[in-house]
């Protein structure tokens, strides 16, 4: 909605939500999405495109970095592991800043790495540009990822003097220069207007919020957004979020970390330091969300890929147990796919045929070809996750979207009552995004009477407001009913068709003509 407002109003400085000043995320992701909407029009496709493009950029730079650190085989396997990770798939469907950050962080780390290994000054410039974009996407904490990765690499090479090279001072100057648009936008909307009421307070500094509150304020639990962090949260989050590579990830990283402690000779420490320090910071934070770890998975993917190809750990028995974990995850994904279809959609002939086709393809392409046990396990788990992803994207999520009354009502109104203003009683981002007509907040039945007298309107209301209209003796006609449920909070009661009606609300598009 914010990106749409930028694209349609050409005001790229002020962020508003429901007519109020909004202070939470930096501007850069919204600028990218707004530019995409300027080119392709306002649509979910245009909104998702920059995120997908930067994620692919992240894959490219993960490949380039792994190839430079090791070889082509490690790079290819690292990209496969990163792509076929459960939470990466989920985040690419439900667009978040972390998908963009994967591309920006890996791009910056790669170019800073190239500069630290004798590359031209151009790598510092490009790396600084990536770093500045990452800062304008999520905040200054991303410096930790860049710094830990490059410093870890240089320390591992015993190149202590290189850490104090003038190139890094130039990088800081360039990053400060490149983030100027974000700082100016925050100053313009907030610092230059101390009278504004922001989150219940006046004299709110957008610059202070950007530099401190949104990052360190969450870490120390002193900012406006508070949590109750658990130090073990991300240890068990990896178990499902990095599936089907979780078991391999635990062992591979543990082995690399033990080697670092024992000062064993290693090709590089960039990946282990790039992952470890930020993981510790996230774990110590009081504000924790599963998708925060996504920006670290490229480093972990490279570590896993190298461990697989070099036969780490050394014990054949342990290795076979680890690779067998991929078969376990493959079975889980297959069961989850069939179970979701059976519970949510009712079993259809298409799903058994799809699973049978996948199993047949896996048999013909994996089990009939001579290959090592580890790669057979990897391909099976990746194929099972691929089926799960296809099912979720093509069947499950489209069904869920039918329960988002805001988007369903907007799309219906765009076709059946085009251009007619829509009055709404409850703010809904989806209605705001998809509706092409003017939108007006309606807070009482009397407001409906006044608007209807002045011009033609339709109204999106719930059961409680319907009763209010009836008590005020305002006649109305239901044009269309819509199911309404918060699909980001799925429960078995909702997924089960037999009990779904008990938790699904109703919204109505009505006319008072």
């Amino acid at each position: 909605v914010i990106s749409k407002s930028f694209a349609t109003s050409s005001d790229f400085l002020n962020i508003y939500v429901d007519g109020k000043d909004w202070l939470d995320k930096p501007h850069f992701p919204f600028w990218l999405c707004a530019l995409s909407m300027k080119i392709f029009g306002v649509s979910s496709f245009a909104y998702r495109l920059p995120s997908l493009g930067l994620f692919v950029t992240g894959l490219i730079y993960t490949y380039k970095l792994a190839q430079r650190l090791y070889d082509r085989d490690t790079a290819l396997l690292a990209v496969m592991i990163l792509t076929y990770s459960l939470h990466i798939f989920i985040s690419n469907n439900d667009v978040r800043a972390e998908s963009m950050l994967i591309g920006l962080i890996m791009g910056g780390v790669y170019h800073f790495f190239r500069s630290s290994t004798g590359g031209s000054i151009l790598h510092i410039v490009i790396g600084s540009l990536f770093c500045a974009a990452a800062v304008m996407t999520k905040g200054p904490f991303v410096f930790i990822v860049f710094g830990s990765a490059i410093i870890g690499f240089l320390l591992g090479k015993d190149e202590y003097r290189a850490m104090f090279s003038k190139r890094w001072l130039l990088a800081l100057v360039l990053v400060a220069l490149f983030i100027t648009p974000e700082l100016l936008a925050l100053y313009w909307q907030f610092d230059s207007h101390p009278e504004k009421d922001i989150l219940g307070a006046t004299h709110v500094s957008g610059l202070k919020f950007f530099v401190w509150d949104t990052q360190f304020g969450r870490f120390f639990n002193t900012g406006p957004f508070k949590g109750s962090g658990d130090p073990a949260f991300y240890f068990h989050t990896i178990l499902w979020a990095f599936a089907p590579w979780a078991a391999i990830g635990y062992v591979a990283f543990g082995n690399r970390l033990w080697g670092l402690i024992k000062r064993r000779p290693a090709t590089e420490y960039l990946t282990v330091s790039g992952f470890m320090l930020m993981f510790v910071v996230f774990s110590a934070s009081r504000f924790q969300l599963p998708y925060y770890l996504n920006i670290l998975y490229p480093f972990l993917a490279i570590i896993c890929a190298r461990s697989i190809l070099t036969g780490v750990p050394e014990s054949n028995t342990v290795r076979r147990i680890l690779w067998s974990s991929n078969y376990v995850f493959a079975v889980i994904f297959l069961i989850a796919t069939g179970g979701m279809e059976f519970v949510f959609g009712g079993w259809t002939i298409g799903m058994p045929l799809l699973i049978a086709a996948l199993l047949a393809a896996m048999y013909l392409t994996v089990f009939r070809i001579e290959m090592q046990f580890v790669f057979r396990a990897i391909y099976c788990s990746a194929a099972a996750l691929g089926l799960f992803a296809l099912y979720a994207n093509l069947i499950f999520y489209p069904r869920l979207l039918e329960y988002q009354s805001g988007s369903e009502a907007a799309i219906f109104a765009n076709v059946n009552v085009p251009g007619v203003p829509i009055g709404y009683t409850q703010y809904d981002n989806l209605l705001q995004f998809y509706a092409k007509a003017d939108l007006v907040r309606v807070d009482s039945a009397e407001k409906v009477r006044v608007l209807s007298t002045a011009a033609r309107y339709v109204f999106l209301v719930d059961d409680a407001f319907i009763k209010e209209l009836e008590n005020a003796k305002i006649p109305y006609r239901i044009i269309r009913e819509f199911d309404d449920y918060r699909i980001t909070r799925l429960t078995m009661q909702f997924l089960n068709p037999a009990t779904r009606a008990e938790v699904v609300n109703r919204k109505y598009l009505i006319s008072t003509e």
Side-chain angles (χ1 to χ4, degrees):
V1 175
I2 293 168
S3 302
K4 177 184 177 180
S5 70
F6 282 172
T8 55
S9 70
S10 295
D11 175 5
F12 285 81
L13 294 178
N14 297 293
I15 298 182
Y16 301 108
V17 173
D18 197 19
K20 301 174 183 177
D21 292 278
W22 189 81
L23 182 60
D24 187 359
K25 300 292 189 297
H27 289 66
F28 185 72
F30 307 115
W31 285 337
L32 282 185
C33 294
L35 179 61
S36 179
M37 291 177 189
K38 282 282 193 181
I39 298 172
F40 299 103
V42 176
S43 66
S44 59
F45 167 80
Y47 166 64
R48 293 170 185 269
L49 187 60
S51 178
L52 180 61
L54 281 174
F55 172 69
V56 173
T57 301
L59 295 181
I60 293 171
Y61 277 112
T62 299
Y63 175 89
K64 290 167 73 71
L65 180 63
Q67 187 180 36
R68 285 276 175 178
L69 291 174
Y70 296 108
D71 51 44
R72 181 174 178 270
D73 289 342
T74 303
L76 287 171
L77 186 54
V79 168
M80 179 181 178
I81 289 172
L82 179 59
T83 305
Y84 284 89
S85 299
L86 179 58
H87 211 291
I88 293 296
F89 144 68
I90 293 173
S91 296
N92 280 333
N93 185 291
D94 181 21
V95 176
R96 296 192 180 277
E98 281 67 23
S99 295
M100 295 183 174
L101 283 175
I102 288 175
L104 298 174
I105 288 176
M106 294 311 295
V109 167
Y110 172 79
H111 285 288
F112 285 152
F113 161 74
R114 288 295 309 278
S115 177
S116 68
T117 54
S120 71
I121 201 71
L122 181 62
H123 286 293
I124 282 290
V125 176
I126 299 174
S128 300
L129 191 59
F130 273 114
C131 182
V135 171
M136 293 192 293
T137 297
K138 199 67 174 180
F141 89 94
V142 298
F143 283 126
I144 298 174
V145 186
F146 289 101
S148 61
I150 300 304
I151 291 174
F153 174 76
L154 294 175
L155 287 177
K157 294 291 187 180
D158 293 328
E159 297 180 8
Y160 304 106
R161 291 184 178 180
M163 291 189 296
F164 303 99
S165 168
K166 294 180 180 179
R167 291 190 174 206
W168 306 123
L169 178 60
L170 174 61
L172 287 175
V173 171
L174 288 174
V175 171
L177 177 64
F178 292 148
I179 66 171
T180 301
E182 176 64 32
L183 301 179
L184 291 176
L186 289 168
Y187 180 83
W188 173 268
Q189 184 172 3
F190 300 103
D191 295 71
S192 65
H193 295 282
E195 76 283 358
K196 287 185 175 181
D197 186 317
I198 310 296
L199 299 173
T202 57
H203 294 82
V204 173
S205 169
L207 294 174
K208 176 179 175 292
F209 182 89
F210 173 69
V211 173
W212 182 262
D213 291 334
T214 189
Q215 306 292 310
F216 303 101
R218 295 191 185 197
F219 178 79
F220 294 110
N221 226 32
T222 59
F225 306 106
K226 293 180 171 61
S228 55
D230 170 12
F233 177 79
Y234 289 111
F235 284 95
H236 56 73
T237 292
I238 286 179
L239 183 61
W240 67 267
F242 198 57
W245 322 106
I248 299 172
Y250 287 133
V251 174
F253 182 79
N255 183 78
R256 290 290 301 278
L257 183 59
W258 184 246
L260 188 152
I261 295 172
K262 288 292 188 178
R263 294 295 295 172
R264 293 174 185 164
T267 303
E268 53 87 19
Y269 291 104
L270 184 153
T271 52
V272 68
S273 59
F275 179 90
M276 182 174 62
L277 182 58
M278 199 66 235
F279 183 87
V280 171
V281 171
F282 282 148
S283 297
S285 173
R286 301 299 300 275
F287 195 91
Q288 299 169 328
L289 290 169
Y291 52 81
Y292 283 179
L293 278 190
N294 285 15
I295 62 173
L296 304 182
Y297 289 151
F299 301 117
L300 189 56
I302 296 174
I303 293 171
C304 288
R306 194 59 189 167
S307 295
I308 290 170
L309 292 174
T310 55
V312 176
E314 296 178 359
S315 169
N316 287 329
T317 302
V318 175
R319 286 207 301 270
R320 292 189 72 85
I321 292 173
L322 285 180
W323 310 152
S324 296
S325 70
N326 281 60
Y327 285 118
V328 174
F329 278 116
V331 172
I332 290 173
F333 288 133
L334 290 175
I335 292 175
T337 304
M340 287 164 60
E341 174 65 14
F342 180 74
V343 172
F344 183 66
W347 194 258
T348 61
I349 189 62
M351 187 49 57
L353 290 176
L354 189 59
I355 293 178
L358 174 74
L359 293 175
M362 289 168 60
Y363 175 75
L364 292 174
T365 59
V366 177
F367 290 95
R368 297 284 292 180
I369 298 175
E370 187 69 27
M371 67 173 66
Q372 296 180 32
F373 177 81
V374 54
F375 293 108
R376 185 168 286 138
I378 286 172
Y379 294 147
C380 283
S381 60
L385 177 58
L387 173 70
F388 178 81
L390 285 172
Y391 169 77
N393 274 322
L394 301 179
I395 300 175
F396 184 70
Y397 280 131
R399 288 175 181 168
L400 281 184
L401 298 182
E402 296 174 3
Y403 292 87
Q404 295 189 141
S405 61
S407 57
E408 293 295 297
I411 294 169
F412 177 86
N414 291 341
V415 175
N416 294 277
V417 283
V420 177
I422 303 173
Y424 63 93
T425 58
Q426 298 173 343
Y427 182 81
D428 188 313
N429 280 321
L430 293 164
L431 177 67
Q432 299 284 329
F433 182 77
Y434 285 100
K436 296 180 180 179
D438 293 335
L439 299 173
V440 179
R441 167 81 80 167
V442 175
D443 53 11
S444 67
E446 196 56 38
K447 181 74 174 287
V448 171
R449 193 194 305 275
V450 171
L451 291 175
S452 299
T453 302
R456 185 189 179 194
Y457 276 83
V458 293
F459 303 91
L460 185 62
V461 300
D462 57 11
D463 287 308
F465 202 84
I466 287 287
K467 291 181 180 179
E468 191 175 335
L469 291 175
E470 292 173 348
N471 292 336
K473 300 189 183 306
I474 297 177
Y476 66 89
R477 175 176 62 88
I478 296 178
I479 302 174
R480 181 74 177 267
E481 296 183 15
F482 302 95
D483 291 323
D484 185 65
Y485 185 81
R486 190 174 180 181
I487 63 172
T488 55
R489 302 287 179 88
L490 298 178
T491 64
M492 282 304 300
Q493 197 173 9
F494 169 76
L495 292 173
N496 187 352
T499 57
R500 190 174 303 151
E502 300 172 13
V503 294
V504 171
N505 298 314
R506 303 289 286 176
K507 290 288 185 69
Y508 309 90
L509 190 67
I510 66 170
S511 171
T512 55
E513 290 181 332

